[in-house]
Amino acid sequence: MSAVTPEQIPDAEPEHPATVKFLSAAFYALCSFLIIIVNKTILTNYRFPSYMFLGIGQMATTIIILYAAKMNKIINFQDFDRSILYKTFPLPLLYVGNHITGLASTKKLSLPMFTILRKFTIIMTMIMESKMLRKTFPNNLVYSVSAIMVGALIAASSDLAFDIEAYTFIILNDLFTAASGVYTKKKLGSEGLGKYGLLYYNACIIIIPTLLAISYTDDLHKVIAFEHWVKSTFIFYFLFSCVMGFVLMYSIILCSHYNSALTTTVVGAIKNVAVAYIGMVVGGDYLFSWLNFVGLNICMAGGLVYSYLTFRSSPAHNRDANRTQEHKGNNVLEDLIERTEKGQAPL
């Protein structure tokens, strides 16, 4: 029988250099860490009244930076035509949902509880990748995910600042994040828009419904009347958040391009280790309890094991395993046929 080539293996991904994969993942982790801290400062410490307006600032910055870069021939991506809407759908809807629910949950939850409940993105991503991208996961990864879920449930069960609205926002944010990651990986590999085109047109489409939403609420008046606009420190944080919104979206696409959607989610889990413990002393809204603290540590331990197992494996290793398994299967089949032709009893 003929040998199995990598092209014949379903969903085989191109192998990228390990250094590039690691650097793209580390870049995403750093960006995600920084934007959570700065958004928490703006929305909680300064009590900025509108997370939607902050999101508009981040999206507008993304559009301005990418358009200026395209006009100056620094980057290149497809010009707008009617096919753009088809090529990007449903990413704009997922991105706007991810943006709004993420900022809302950041405002309403303490940083440790925010990072713990974000762990549910991992199992949602695994389910979506198995259904949409037909990926399978070894048992040790499944066990580590189970530990993460148990720890998250223990921590959430003893949350002394339980808020049903905040929990609804964070679970929706987990769902939108998982779907965005899987669809981003799928679009990068099939639609031909490239990293910059996907980022630019998603921001252009997202900003329209967000502007409409804020115009129908009282947020715009609250933003105009916000007292800290005269403070240079607040303006610095606000502008830094807008720029980091662009950098974060770019880092997510970059990490998804060089890795998998699941790896991007895992990197978020690693970053959350630092965020959760820092959040116990930064933000001033964490209420300590031993059960919550134990659950947090179980969750973090499971996240570290899961991260180690994920980064240890590689597409090349998985392809070799698939080829070995199929080769063994072929040998068994050939042996069975040969024994049957000789009139011998099958083993």
Side-chain angles (χ1 to χ4, degrees):
M1 289 190 174
S2 60
V4 179
T5 63
E7 290 76 12
Q8 292 173 310
I9 298 174
D11 302 316
E13 296 179 0
E15 181 68 25
H16 298 287
T19 303
V20 174
K21 295 171 69 175
F22 173 77
L23 289 177
S24 65
F27 179 53
Y28 162 59
L30 176 63
C31 294
S32 183
F33 172 78
L34 289 176
I35 200 169
I36 287 179
I37 297 298
V38 72
N39 283 346
K40 188 65 178 175
T41 302
I42 292 171
L43 295 170
T44 301
N45 293 5
Y46 283 98
R47 300 186 182 280
F48 188 67
S50 176
Y51 51 82
M52 283 196 293
F53 188 85
L54 183 59
I56 289 172
Q58 294 173 352
M59 288 177 264
T61 303
T62 298
I63 294 169
I64 292 169
I65 291 174
L66 290 177
Y67 183 78
K70 180 178 172 64
M71 291 298 99
N72 287 280
K73 311 295 183 182
I74 299 174
I75 61 173
N76 185 44
F77 52 85
Q78 179 184 339
D79 293 329
F80 181 80
D81 59 42
R82 286 181 296 180
S83 69
I84 294 295
L85 295 176
Y86 169 77
K87 289 180 177 180
T88 57
F89 185 83
L91 274 179
L93 297 178
L94 298 175
Y95 275 30
V96 72
N98 190 20
H99 228 80
I100 292 174
T101 56
L103 289 171
S105 54
T106 300
K107 181 177 182 178
K108 293 178 177 294
L109 285 169
S110 66
L111 278 178
M113 287 311 303
F114 174 84
T115 54
I116 284 295
L117 294 172
R118 286 285 290 155
K119 299 292 186 187
F120 288 95
T121 305
I122 296 174
I123 194 167
M124 291 180 182
T125 302
M126 289 185 73
I127 293 171
M128 289 183 184
E129 279 201 319
S130 65
K131 297 295 183 182
M132 296 176 60
L133 303 181
R134 297 181 180 180
K135 290 192 174 183
T136 57
F137 304 97
N139 289 336
N140 50 10
L141 283 182
V142 176
Y143 297 149
S144 61
V145 167
S146 300
I148 294 171
M149 295 302 102
V150 169
L153 290 172
I154 292 173
S157 68
S158 62
D159 183 14
L160 301 181
F162 179 79
D163 184 335
I164 186 63
E165 184 180 1
Y167 272 53
T168 301
F169 274 124
I170 194 65
I171 296 300
L172 286 174
N173 186 233
D174 292 342
L175 182 60
F176 282 126
T177 301
S180 295
V182 174
Y183 270 103
T184 295
K185 183 67 177 178
K186 188 175 181 180
K187 296 292 182 181
L188 282 171
S190 62
E191 299 298 344
L193 281 175
K195 299 186 291 292
Y196 301 111
L198 197 61
L199 190 59
Y200 178 79
Y201 289 115
N202 271 309
C204 288
I205 297 170
I206 288 169
I207 200 171
I208 297 172
T210 312
L211 284 169
L212 292 174
I214 199 172
S215 65
Y216 283 101
T217 64
D218 196 36
D219 281 17
L220 193 57
H221 296 91
K222 293 178 181 178
V223 168
I224 294 173
F226 186 59
E227 59 182 349
H228 293 303
W229 284 121
V230 295
K231 294 185 177 180
S232 58
T233 52
F234 172 77
I235 293 175
F236 169 78
Y237 279 121
F238 186 86
L239 294 177
F240 184 66
S241 175
C242 290
V243 173
M244 284 305 301
F246 157 70
V247 177
L248 175 65
M249 286 192 285
Y250 176 71
S251 70
I252 291 172
I253 288 181
L254 198 67
C255 187
S256 297
H257 173 70
Y258 288 114
N259 298 283
S260 66
L262 186 58
T263 300
T264 303
T265 305
V266 170
V267 172
I270 300 173
K271 169 265 305 176
N272 286 344
V273 175
V275 173
Y277 290 108
I278 290 174
M280 291 182 182
V281 293
V282 175
D285 53 357
Y286 175 68
L287 301 178
F288 179 84
S289 77
W290 278 110
L291 189 60
N292 181 273
F293 184 71
V294 169
L296 187 150
N297 282 280
I298 293 174
C299 190
M300 294 308 173
L304 288 174
V305 172
Y306 177 79
S307 303
Y308 168 75
L309 293 171
T310 302
F311 282 114
R312 187 184 63 174
S313 62
S314 67
H317 174 77
N318 293 335
R319 286 199 296 268
D320 290 341
N322 288 339
R323 285 198 292 269
T324 301
Q325 188 66 30
E326 180 144 344
H327 180 65
K328 288 180 179 179
N330 291 340
N331 286 344
V332 172
L333 181 60
E334 290 171 356
D335 183 63
L336 181 61
I337 293 172
E338 182 179 355
R339 293 180 67 85
T340 302
E341 289 175 348
K342 291 179 179 180
Q344 299 175 359
L347 293 176

